[in-house]
Amino acid sequence: MTTDQDLSMDGQSARAVLAAKGIDVTPNKDQGVIKVVKRQGLDGDRPMIGDRVTVHYTGKLLTGKKFDCSRDRKEPFSFNVGKGQVLKAWDIGVLSMQRGEVCTFLCKPEYAYGAAGNPNKIPPCSPVVFEMELLKFEGEALTDDGGIVRRIKVKGDGYTNPNDGASVDVHLQGSCGGRLFDCRDVSFVVGEGEDKGIPLGVDRALDKMQKGECCVLYLKPKYGFGSEGKPEYNIGPDKDVVYEVTLKDFQRAKESWEMDLSEKLDLVGDVKNKGNQYFKAGRYYQAVIQYQRITSWLEMECGSGIEQQKRIQDYIVTAHLNLALCFLRIKEFSQVIDNCNKVIELDKSNEKALYRRGEARLLRNEFSLAMADFQQVLQVNSSNRAARAQISICQSKIKEHHEQDKKTYANMFQKFAERDAKSFVLHLKHCVS
């Protein structure tokens, strides 16, 4: 076990002691990071590249002088390991640890603070020592709701990733409850994985992957096979699934800025039809991907004439209306309103946009705003019976809300009155006594 006493000697001696006791954990074995285990961790898993790790650490010079300590701040430190967010020595060292392990790392300058050092703390070209405890680690969440969690087994090469529309070649292994149900090489277009029986979570994770990367994806049902399950794989409804994915190769699709307007207009029809196919099949998330491609391509475009500009606007309006309908189905009502607003900016009398915005507001219990939208629909089309029925529902909801408010306030005032009466009686008793 390394002690502070080991570091109280001169730098050369301290380095020799640590090097003699430790092992070289650097990939190229240049003794850039020497590890000495002080307390063994729990048997089992180690962090993978990209995992969110939480550590306590103390940093010292070889003289024993402390320059940083998370325990002094009474707060552990978290970061995504292997992503270049911290010192190179940390990325290398923490990947070698187990949960609960405590160890000391002797780090050469090029793996720590380099030739510059750190002003007022670390002299230039200084080796440093870190004592580190790995408290916990977990996979990297790729979505805000935690529905796709990634753990990288093998880091990929390069700095580019597949984009929507890219052609990819992957190897897949899917499992559920420890049972392997899918193992294959498959090629498909990003955003259209559904066509090859690939779950949404795998499709959506690809734009974070690099060529050669092998990762494990933990998918919640929303990003797996949903409430329907996958009978052909003998997977029931609402099951978590795990996919190991290796990105063997990919060819990026052209970005919007790489295409001229005529190219975009040539592609838009097929993309719209693909979105419509997904919508009719109830694959609303996949449909959203297609419709969003259209808006990203065309929203900043101006046609060369009135006819072309109208064609562009028609595509944009249709895409936003379809997006609003998709988001209604998946109950993301703020997104419904956003997309309807974009249509109304272009066409303030658009019947569908006003109606769908009203639906979303009604479902968000914004009854007055919803009623105003449905009333506008009737101004555009007085024979719209659905809007008239929705106005009746809004009026009924507003009345119910007012009645509930009356009861709430009546109970509140009654409690105030009872409390005041009790206080008055106590006051009288006090005066009599």
Side-chain angles (χ1 to χ4, degrees), residues 360-428:
R361 285 173 164 172
L362 179 56
L363 290 164
R364 288 199 340 175
N365 296 329
E366 296 171 347
F367 307 126
S368 297
L369 290 173
M371 187 161 69
D373 279 336
F374 294 128
Q375 286 170 339
Q376 278 188 270
V377 171
L378 290 180
Q379 289 174 16
V380 175
N381 178 9
S382 59
S383 63
N384 190 316
R385 287 187 291 181
R388 204 172 295 280
Q390 294 283 36
I391 288 172
S392 297
I393 292 170
C394 289
Q395 290 170 334
S396 175
K397 293 289 185 182
I398 290 170
K399 185 177 179 182
E400 284 177 22
H401 188 67
H402 286 164
E403 291 297 325
Q404 187 61 44
D405 282 349
K406 282 182 184 178
K407 288 180 182 177
T408 300
Y409 288 125
N411 290 337
M412 189 185 301
F413 290 136
Q414 184 176 352
K415 286 178 183 177
F416 287 154
E418 289 172 354
R419 187 191 65 188
D420 291 344
K422 190 178 291 185
S423 298
F424 181 67
V425 170
L426 290 172
H427 176 68
L428 285 178

Side-chain angles (χ1 to χ4, degrees), residues 48-53 79-88 90-92 95 139-142 150-152 154-156 158-159 161 207-210 213 215:
M48 293 183 188
I49 297 164
D51 282 1
R52 191 73 177 169
V53 300
F79 63 98
N80 291 97
V81 68
K83 292 289 192 173
Q85 297 176 356
V86 291
L87 297 176
K88 192 175 180 181
W90 283 31
D91 273 341
I92 292 169
L95 286 171
E140 176 187 14
L142 300 186
R150 174 176 66 165
R151 304 195 66 207
I152 300 173
V154 179
K155 191 174 182 179
Y159 299 96
N161 316 92
D207 68 2
K208 306 290 194 304
M209 296 180 67
Q210 296 167 324
E213 179 178 319
C215 68

Side-chain angles (χ1 to χ4, degrees), residues 243-261:
Y243 267 86
E244 184 174 300
V245 183
T246 303
L247 178 57
K248 296 160 62 180
D249 201 2
F250 69 92
Q251 183 69 46
R252 283 177 64 86
K254 281 187 177 181
E255 296 287 2
S256 178
W257 54 268
E258 295 176 302
M259 295 188 284
D260 60 30
L261 180 55

Side-chain angles (χ1 to χ4, degrees), residues 274-339:
K274 176 64 72 173
N276 292 347
Q277 288 172 20
Y278 285 141
F279 182 86
K280 289 172 185 174
R283 305 300 185 200
Y284 304 120
Y285 292 102
Q286 287 86 346
V288 163
I289 294 166
Q290 303 305 319
Y291 298 138
Q292 284 179 339
R293 291 180 72 191
I294 297 172
T295 59
S296 69
W297 285 349
L298 297 181
E299 278 187 319
M300 302 303 291
E301 290 286 356
C302 294
S304 57
I306 293 174
E307 187 176 329
Q308 192 177 64
Q309 183 56 37
K310 184 179 185 307
R311 187 182 174 199
I312 292 168
Q313 183 167 316
D314 287 346
Y315 274 130
I316 292 172
V317 165
T318 300
H320 281 302
L321 286 173
N322 290 345
L323 282 166
L325 199 53
C326 289
F327 286 123
L328 266 176
R329 295 288 190 271
I330 56 183
K331 298 181 170 35
E332 294 188 16
F333 303 125
S334 62
Q335 293 276 15
V336 178
I337 293 169
D338 287 346
N339 280 281

Side-chain angles (χ1 to χ4, degrees), residues 36-89:
V36 179
V37 177
K38 297 181 69 174
R39 185 182 76 201
Q40 295 288 343
L42 303 173
D43 288 337
D45 210 3
R46 285 183 169 84
M48 293 183 188
I49 297 164
D51 282 1
R52 191 73 177 169
V53 300
T54 301
V55 301
H56 264 309
Y57 69 92
T58 301
K60 296 180 182 181
L61 301 176
L62 289 186
T63 60
K65 181 181 178 182
K66 181 167 63 176
F67 59 81
D68 194 10
C69 183
S70 63
R71 294 186 189 278
D72 290 348
R73 295 190 296 274
K74 297 182 171 58
E75 186 176 355
F77 181 72
S78 296
F79 63 98
N80 291 97
V81 68
K83 292 289 192 173
Q85 297 176 356
V86 291
L87 297 176
K88 192 175 180 181

Side-chain angles (χ1 to χ4, degrees), residues 4-154:
D4 288 345
Q5 195 170 20
D6 291 333
L7 298 179
S8 64
M9 59 189 83
D10 67 272
Q12 281 297 117
S13 300
R15 186 186 305 180
V17 168
L18 289 168
K21 291 184 176 183
I23 57 170
D24 184 358
V25 293
T26 51
N28 56 4
K29 302 302 176 187
D30 63 356
Q31 296 197 322
V33 183
I34 301 293
K35 174 182 175 181
V36 179
V37 177
K38 297 181 69 174
R39 185 182 76 201
Q40 295 288 343
L42 303 173
D43 288 337
D45 210 3
R46 285 183 169 84
M48 293 183 188
I49 297 164
D51 282 1
R52 191 73 177 169
V53 300
T54 301
V55 301
H56 264 309
Y57 69 92
T58 301
K60 296 180 182 181
L61 301 176
L62 289 186
T63 60
K65 181 181 178 182
K66 181 167 63 176
F67 59 81
D68 194 10
C69 183
S70 63
R71 294 186 189 278
D72 290 348
R73 295 190 296 274
K74 297 182 171 58
E75 186 176 355
F77 181 72
S78 296
F79 63 98
N80 291 97
V81 68
K83 292 289 192 173
Q85 297 176 356
V86 291
L87 297 176
K88 192 175 180 181
W90 283 31
D91 273 341
I92 292 169
V94 171
L95 286 171
S96 75
M97 299 177 70
Q98 294 176 316
R99 187 180 284 104
E101 182 178 321
V102 178
C103 61
T104 299
F105 295 111
L106 169 63
C107 314
K108 282 184 175 179
E110 55 266 39
Y111 287 85
Y113 296 96
N118 190 321
N120 303 321
K121 286 187 175 183
I122 299 154
C125 299
S126 292
V128 292
V129 173
F130 284 102
E131 182 180 284
M132 193 163 289
E133 179 181 5
L134 180 57
L135 302 173
K136 62 179 181 178
F137 58 88
E138 57 191 3
E140 176 187 14
L142 300 186
T143 55
D144 292 339
D145 60 7
I148 307 174
V149 173
R150 174 176 66 165
R151 304 195 66 207
I152 300 173
K153 294 179 71 174
V154 179

